Amino acid sequence: TDVAASVRAIENCLHPDAQPLRETVLAQFFERWSAEALVIDQWFSIQASSARPGAIERVEALMQHSAFSMTTPNRMRSVLSGFAMMNIGAFHQAGGAGYRLLAETVIALNGFNPQMAARMLGPLTGWRKFDPKYGDAMQAALQMILDSGDLSPDVFEVVTKTLA
């Protein structure tokens, strides 16, 4: 717990000279705990939830990491929920890129894990409560999912009820 808290603090450090330390600490943490799936899930979540600039690119890179698999529910949740539910500033950034990333991932998940895909829609379901500049982009992401076609009953139900 203490080590994870320290890694989180270093990951969120905005000092311009922190990057070399961040890279070293993240690599050492991964190497030390690579055999412990739950700890590595936390390693992914720490990075996906980091308040540093570049969150979307960081999440996309994490989803390309050799230890990441969309078919592993806890790993998927650690990245996607870490981003969409714990990195509020990045998820709701102007332009809707965070919403699109979530929508694209839900579309991909729908094909092989529709229950998880439906659960991942949570951050988009309250779109009416947001200022239109955010709400409209959230609605567009939901529409993108609906327009993707061949949705599972689970995802279809959440999306259509949310848009109705």
Side-chain angles (χ1 to χ4, degrees):
T1 303
D2 292 341
V3 172
S6 299
V7 171
R8 184 176 303 280
I10 292 166
E11 172 59 32
N12 281 285
C13 181
L14 297 175
H15 192 281
D17 296 336
Q19 187 60 29
L21 175 62
R22 183 178 10 265
E23 291 173 5
T24 300
V25 167
L26 287 168
Q28 288 175 347
F29 186 92
F30 184 84
E31 183 179 327
R32 165 67 178 92
W33 297 101
S34 62
E36 299 291 335
L38 294 176
V39 178
I40 296 303
D41 289 342
Q42 190 173 26
W43 180 83
F44 275 100
S45 181
I46 287 168
Q47 294 175 79
S49 64
S50 174
R52 288 186 306 109
I56 291 177
E57 296 80 9
R58 191 167 40 259
V59 168
E60 289 171 338
L62 287 169
M63 292 173 75
Q64 298 301 314
H65 192 278
S66 62
F68 179 83
S69 173
M70 285 186 63
T71 60
T72 305
N74 286 348
R75 192 64 43 92
M76 182 73 227
R77 197 173 9 263
S78 69
V79 173
L80 205 56
S81 293
F83 171 65
M85 298 171 79
M86 296 178 4
N87 198 344
I88 303 302
F91 180 64
H92 293 290
Q93 72 178 323
Y99 311 143
R100 283 189 300 280
L101 175 61
L102 178 60
E104 291 165 358
T105 307
V106 165
I107 291 167
L109 280 171
N110 176 68
F112 60 89
N113 194 338
Q115 294 83 18
M116 176 177 258
R119 281 193 301 271
M120 291 293 109
L121 287 167
L124 295 174
T125 59
W127 66 271
R128 286 183 177 86
K129 298 176 186 173
F130 286 83
D131 181 281
K133 73 179 180 180
Y134 300 106
D136 291 350
M138 294 168 87
Q139 182 184 21
L142 288 163
Q143 190 65 50
M144 181 176 114
I145 295 167
L146 186 61
D147 293 344
S148 71
D150 199 27
L151 295 177
S152 66
D154 297 328
V155 173
F156 182 81
E157 179 182 8
V158 173
V159 171
T160 55
K161 283 184 176 182
T162 301
L163 288 173

